[in-house]
């Protein structure tokens, strides 16, 4: 059966010493709980190798927040999937709405990123989600379906099975405005149906679909109680070990 997962997305926050301290705090806290989910932290590129040294990878997965759409070469400033993997990271967040919105990421570039991540044994945490206007005009199911189909549906069933999805309604990210647990469940069930039509019931049932968008200790339990919500991708609340752990322990 599919895994429950709580993954942090630190975004462009923390200096290296701050990031190491935060990773150590999460790592220590995990020693004292019997976590009922996999736990991952997504950290800036600059932190990956150092954080990898201070965490117990049996208990805490490590991810980058992006990778390049090319393997290597003259792409100044980019960081490739092989580079990310060489730090010890085993996950990569791809297609975050901030990357789509501010850095022009499209399904075409994301398709390449996903391919390179998989080739390098990185598990993609692939983000999808509609903006407020699309929620309001009722096109949100079509938008999310297209995001999944365009970037992922050329994958074999075997490769698709390695993907974690994160439904993140853009209007809920960093705004304090969470989707209700019913809104999340409705979309997650829809996404699972879309996967089932393409890859069959077994693959669909085994795909972890996380919710992201102002998830915090106070709302995590209700969200995670929904049958199609398999955990969360956590931005702001992952920057504090205590609140992040409050979400991790929402799974009982
Ligand atoms: C995110 O950036 O993936 C996210 C969900 O952010 P926040 O939890 O801060 O809304």
């Amino acid at each position: 059966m599919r895994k429950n997962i709580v993954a942090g997305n630190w975004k462009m926050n923390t200096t290296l010493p701050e990031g190491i301290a935060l990773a150590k705090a999460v790592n220590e806290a995990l020693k004292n709980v019997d976590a009922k989910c996999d736990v991952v932290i997504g950290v800036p590129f600059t932190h990956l190798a150092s954080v990898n040294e201070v965490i117990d990878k049996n208990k805490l997965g490590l991810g980058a927040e992006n990778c390049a759409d090319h393997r290597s070469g003259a792409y100044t400033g980019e960081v490739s999937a092989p580079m990310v993997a060489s730090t010890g990271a085993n996950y990569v967040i791809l297609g975050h709405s901030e990357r789509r919105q501010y850095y022009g990421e499209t399904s075409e570039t994301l398709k390449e990123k996903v391919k390179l991540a998989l080739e390098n044994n990185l598990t993609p945490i692939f983000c999808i989600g509609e903006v407020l206007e699309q929620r309001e005009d009722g096109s949100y199911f079509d938008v999310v379906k297209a995001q999944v189909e365009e970037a992922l549906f050329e994958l074999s069933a075997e490769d698709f099975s390695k993907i974690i999805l994160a439904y993140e309604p853009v209007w809920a990210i960093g705004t304090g405005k969470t989707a209700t647990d019913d809104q999340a469940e409705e979309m997650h069930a829809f996404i699972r149906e879309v996967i089932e039509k393409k890859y069959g019931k077994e693959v669909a049932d085994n795909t972890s679909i996380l919710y992201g968008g102002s998830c915090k200790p106070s709302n995590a339990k209700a969200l995670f109680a929904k049958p199609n919500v398999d955990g969360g991708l956590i931005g702001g609340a992952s920057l504090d070990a205590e609140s992040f752990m409050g979400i991790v322990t929402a799974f009982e």
Side-chain angles (χ1 to χ4, degrees):
M1 257 324 254
R2 58 186 178 259
K3 286 180 179 169
N4 291 326
I5 302 161
V6 171
N9 172 18
W10 291 3
K11 312 194 189 196
M12 197 174 72
N13 292 298
T14 73
T15 61
L16 180 58
E18 288 165 353
I20 292 173
L22 176 55
K24 279 183 177 169
V26 173
N27 192 64
E28 275 307 301
L30 279 170
K31 287 183 186 163
N32 303 320
V33 299
D34 179 18
K36 299 288 190 294
C37 58
D38 285 2
V39 186
V40 178
I41 45 176
V43 310
F45 290 133
T46 46
H47 299 17
L48 286 168
S50 307
V51 167
N52 187 56
E53 294 298 312
V54 301
I55 60 174
D56 175 358
K57 297 286 284 304
N58 294 316
K59 292 203 160 191
L60 182 56
L62 178 62
E65 300 172 15
N66 181 29
C67 71
D69 57 341
H70 296 278
R71 201 169 271 109
S72 65
Y75 301 101
T76 303
E78 287 293 283
V79 178
S80 70
M83 290 173 186
V84 169
S86 72
T87 66
N90 32 15
Y91 294 84
V92 59
I93 298 167
L94 291 176
H96 193 281
S97 61
E98 288 153 13
R99 304 255 2 133
R100 293 177 190 259
Q101 194 177 343
Y102 307 141
Y103 300 96
E105 291 199 351
T106 63
S107 295
E108 282 310 301
T109 49
L110 288 170
K111 211 190 296 186
E112 294 307 310
K113 291 182 183 206
V114 167
K115 206 160 48 176
L116 288 165
L118 291 172
E119 269 176 37
N120 288 280
N121 297 317
L122 295 169
T123 299
I125 300 176
F126 190 82
C127 305
I128 49 188
E130 79 283 359
V131 299
L132 184 60
E133 195 188 345
Q134 295 160 336
R135 170 63 56 172
E136 286 174 349
D137 71 15
S139 63
Y140 51 103
F141 287 117
D142 290 343
V143 168
V144 168
K145 182 169 184 262
Q147 288 172 337
V148 173
E149 286 177 347
E150 287 169 12
L152 302 177
F153 274 12
E154 283 177 23
L155 294 173
S156 65
E158 192 189 343
D159 277 346
F160 186 88
S161 305
K162 297 173 188 161
I163 308 272
I164 297 165
L165 288 175
Y167 169 58
E168 301 205 302
V170 180
W171 47 270
I173 296 180
T175 57
K177 196 174 173 192
T178 321
T180 66
D181 34 299
D182 286 334
Q183 283 173 322
E185 172 60 19
E186 183 187 36
M187 180 58 89
H188 285 221
F190 171 74
I191 295 166
R192 210 175 294 288
E193 253 174 55
V194 171
I195 299 169
E196 183 173 341
K197 279 194 192 121
K198 169 75 180 171
Y199 291 108
K201 186 164 167 46
E202 195 182 333
V203 171
D205 282 348
N206 286 326
T207 302
S208 297
I209 309 177
L210 316 185
Y211 167 78
S214 300
C215 185
K216 24 188 194 283
S218 58
N219 58 26
K221 205 171 243 181
L223 284 160
F224 298 172
K226 292 292 178 186
N228 284 291
V229 179
D230 307 312
L233 181 57
I234 318 299
S238 70
L239 292 170
D240 176 79
E242 201 180 322
S243 57
F244 187 57
M245 288 306 297
I247 298 171
V248 168
T249 53
F251 279 113
E252 283 172 348

